[in-house]
Amino acid sequence: MAKLQQITHTTKHFANYFHFSLKLTLHLPYGPAVFQPLVANYFSATCIFLLSSLFYINKLIIMTDKKHHVSVQAIFNLLPQDEIMKIGQTLNVDFHARKLYGCIFLKLLIYGQLLSLKLSQRKLDAIYDSPSFKALNRSVSSEGLSHQSISARLKVMPSEYFQDIYRTLCVMFGGLLPRTAVDGQIICAVDSTMVSETAAKLKEGMRVGVKAKSPDARKLVKYTMSYDGGTVLYSQLHTLPRYLDEDNALGEAVCAVSKKYQGQPVIYTFDRGIKGGGLLASFDSENIRFVGRLNPGRRIDELGDCTAGAGKLPDGVKVLSDKMVQLYGKKGRSALPNRLRVVTADVGHPIGWRPGSRTAKESVIVLITDELELTAAEILEIYKKRWKIESFFRFLKQELNFSHFISVNQNGMESILYITLITALLIKIYMACNRNNADFAKFRIGLELLGDLCQFLQGKMPQPPLQSPAEIKQILLAQT
């Protein structure tokens, strides 16, 4: 009954606000002095009406949604100010800075990624001057910026600043986020994604294709990451042509992560990018556990059947063969000594285009692993978890501007990489606390930010968050 009375009370407020905004739209003098300059502008009044509507709708949602625990203000407060100051002082990021101090620039980039689907330096300039950003950051200078100053900061501010902040957040909250696992084994997916830009804009990058030498050609940069479902354990920007070969890009990623997490129950999974038999054999020799995908026509020597068994397979899935094999290197005339395992299965549905055909799809998958005791069903389940990193790349590109270059120099691109990972981690924490999916979480964050703007236009400052970082940790701990 009390909850219903709260909803009714909020609905009345929404109706009053609708009446107030309607009077503004009709150019009637009403309301506090902050709105008077906007009364003569029909478009501005309409925008105020929309913002106020979203604010009260969001308030109504929060009141009726029992799962909503943590606000976006509380998520912003997770940024460790003392640690950020220490990192900034160590790297001297504020040397000669007049307005865009390191901490303010960090929040500006995060705020921009949360609000804009195709962020640019001009949009960052507009966001810096916006009332909503100033409402959240009282230390913002009253003087405006230019997009040239943003470009200059991205060019000279060391990317290690953002990298160290991301690592600090991972240490603080990474262990509290759910990670991908199968029977107690942590599954770490390793993959790369490409982003392209015209060669005239992108100074450093890889040229590919038959028109690679053309002035109208496009250049590519490659981002290689390892992802355990909670945090990104490894991330690297590649612009050199040698990293077009995934043996180099993914091989370095797997080796780097395995050194950090040596002795932990981690299994690495990857797609068909790694082709070198010598690299896969070296994984086995260094006790790096892996499950990868193999091209069907790969040259191998079969040594016999694997005795681990098929296990409990999902409906529609059939194991066609489970063999112990030896691989050949890229130019090897004899098989490599390492004994590996190849599982061939029909998953019962199309999973990709069949090699050599543009019309037929294949349903047979060939996996290679050094796991000799796990069942075939467990091997298939581990590889299935690799899709987590594909979904993560999709989220970065579609929701956080990762397919669009804000800066085109190497240092700027590396900085944006870590800013994007910081924003993704904050959204991940917001999702875990409020039990939302990624798309809805970003939508809810946008509503809350617009609500803060509406309060600012009413002459009120946004209310402080109800939860401290320590309380958010407790919420995350209770859900793991």
Side-chain angles (χ1 to χ4, degrees), residues 139-176:
S139 58
V140 172
S141 172
S142 58
E143 300 178 9
L145 288 177
S146 66
H147 68 278
Q148 289 91 347
S149 60
I150 294 173
S151 177
R153 285 298 270 162
L154 284 171
K155 189 175 183 178
V156 301
M157 181 181 285
S159 60
E160 292 81 7
Y161 173 68
F162 303 108
Q163 183 181 14
D164 291 347
I165 293 173
Y166 178 69
R167 289 176 176 173
T168 301
L169 286 171
C170 288
V171 171
M172 292 173 60
F173 298 99
L176 302 176

Side-chain angles (χ1 to χ4, degrees), residues 326-382:
Q326 288 178 315
L327 288 178
Y328 285 79
K330 287 185 177 180
K331 297 182 180 179
R333 295 184 178 180
S334 59
L336 298 169
N338 301 75
R339 293 164 58 89
L340 300 174
R341 177 184 178 187
V342 171
V343 177
T344 305
D346 188 336
V347 297
H349 57 82
I351 56 174
W353 297 107
R354 186 172 299 167
S357 173
R358 294 186 177 182
T359 57
K361 291 186 177 181
E362 59 180 346
S363 61
V364 175
I365 190 169
V366 182
L367 302 179
I368 185 166
T369 180
D370 57 356
E371 292 294 318
L372 307 183
E373 297 181 359
L374 298 179
T375 65
E378 290 172 323
I379 298 297
L380 290 167
E381 182 64 20
I382 290 171

Side-chain angles (χ1 to χ4, degrees), residues 98-109:
R98 296 182 179 180
K99 300 176 186 176
L100 280 178
Y101 297 104
C103 186
I104 294 296
F105 196 37
L106 169 69
K107 293 181 180 179
L108 175 64
L109 291 168

Side-chain angles (χ1 to χ4, degrees), residues 48-169:
I48 293 171
F49 163 66
L50 293 174
L51 288 174
S52 61
S53 302
L54 288 172
F55 168 66
Y56 277 99
I57 289 173
N58 181 59
K59 187 175 180 180
L60 186 62
I61 292 173
I62 293 175
M63 290 174 56
T64 56
D65 185 6
K66 296 181 180 179
K67 297 178 181 179
H68 189 93
H69 302 297
V70 177
S71 69
V72 67
Q73 284 281 5
I75 297 299
F76 273 122
N77 280 1
L78 295 180
L79 295 171
Q81 301 300 324
D82 293 339
E83 291 295 327
I84 291 174
M85 290 293 292
K86 290 179 182 179
I87 294 170
Q89 291 172 358
T90 302
L91 297 174
N92 202 18
V93 297
D94 291 334
F95 183 68
H96 287 323
R98 296 182 179 180
K99 300 176 186 176
L100 280 178
Y101 297 104
C103 186
I104 294 296
F105 196 37
L106 169 69
K107 293 181 180 179
L108 175 64
L109 291 168
I110 294 174
Y111 197 81
Q113 287 188 327
L114 291 173
L115 283 183
S116 178
L117 289 178
K118 193 172 182 181
L119 193 60
S120 66
Q121 294 176 11
R122 292 186 182 275
K123 288 183 180 180
L124 287 172
D125 179 16
I127 291 172
Y128 182 86
D129 293 332
S130 67
S132 56
F133 186 69
K134 291 178 179 178
L136 291 173
N137 304 276
R138 301 183 185 183
S139 58
V140 172
S141 172
S142 58
E143 300 178 9
L145 288 177
S146 66
H147 68 278
Q148 289 91 347
S149 60
I150 294 173
S151 177
R153 285 298 270 162
L154 284 171
K155 189 175 183 178
V156 301
M157 181 181 285
S159 60
E160 292 81 7
Y161 173 68
F162 303 108
Q163 183 181 14
D164 291 347
I165 293 173
Y166 178 69
R167 289 176 176 173
T168 301
L169 286 171

Side-chain angles (χ1 to χ4, degrees), residues 247-448:
D247 280 7
N248 296 324
L250 300 187
E252 288 183 9
V254 172
C255 292
V257 177
S258 65
K259 291 178 181 178
K260 295 180 182 179
Y261 298 92
Q262 193 171 11
Q264 295 190 27
V266 179
I267 300 177
Y268 302 90
T269 180
F270 42 83
D271 206 7
R272 288 185 281 202
I274 294 182
K275 300 181 176 64
L279 181 59
L280 294 172
S282 70
F283 289 166
D284 177 56
S285 300
E286 296 174 15
N287 296 319
I288 298 175
R289 305 166 67 191
F290 69 90
V291 174
R293 191 172 173 187
L294 201 65
N295 285 323
R298 183 64 182 267
R299 185 186 179 190
I300 57 175
D301 281 350
E302 294 186 2
L303 304 177
D305 293 331
C306 179
T307 58
K312 186 177 180 180
L313 296 167
D315 294 339
V317 178
K318 298 179 181 179
V319 175
L320 304 181
S321 66
D322 191 353
K323 302 287 185 181
M324 299 297 300
V325 303
Q326 288 178 315
L327 288 178
Y328 285 79
K330 287 185 177 180
K331 297 182 180 179
R333 295 184 178 180
S334 59
L336 298 169
N338 301 75
R339 293 164 58 89
L340 300 174
R341 177 184 178 187
V342 171
V343 177
T344 305
D346 188 336
V347 297
H349 57 82
I351 56 174
W353 297 107
R354 186 172 299 167
S357 173
R358 294 186 177 182
T359 57
K361 291 186 177 181
E362 59 180 346
S363 61
V364 175
I365 190 169
V366 182
L367 302 179
I368 185 166
T369 180
D370 57 356
E371 292 294 318
L372 307 183
E373 297 181 359
L374 298 179
T375 65
E378 290 172 323
I379 298 297
L380 290 167
E381 182 64 20
I382 290 171
Y383 180 77
K384 183 179 178 181
K385 300 297 184 183
R386 192 199 68 83
W387 191 252
K388 291 276 188 179
I389 196 169
E390 298 287 357
S391 300
F392 183 67
F393 283 151
R394 183 203 66 80
F395 175 72
L396 294 183
K397 287 187 172 183
Q398 293 187 8
E399 302 293 340
L400 296 182
N401 300 281
F402 204 55
S403 59
H404 174 68
F405 289 108
I406 301 174
S407 177
V408 292
N409 66 76
Q410 177 104 9
N411 185 77
M413 289 188 291
E414 289 177 352
S415 298
I416 295 301
L417 164 63
Y418 289 108
I419 282 290
T420 305
L421 294 181
I422 291 170
T423 307
L425 180 58
L426 294 178
I427 293 177
K428 187 86 176 178
I429 296 171
Y430 185 90
M431 290 166 53
C433 290
N434 299 319
R435 300 180 183 179
N436 299 144
N437 59 36
D439 294 338
F440 185 75
K442 190 166 184 290
F443 168 75
R444 173 67 67 79
I445 288 172
L447 282 181
E448 291 190 35

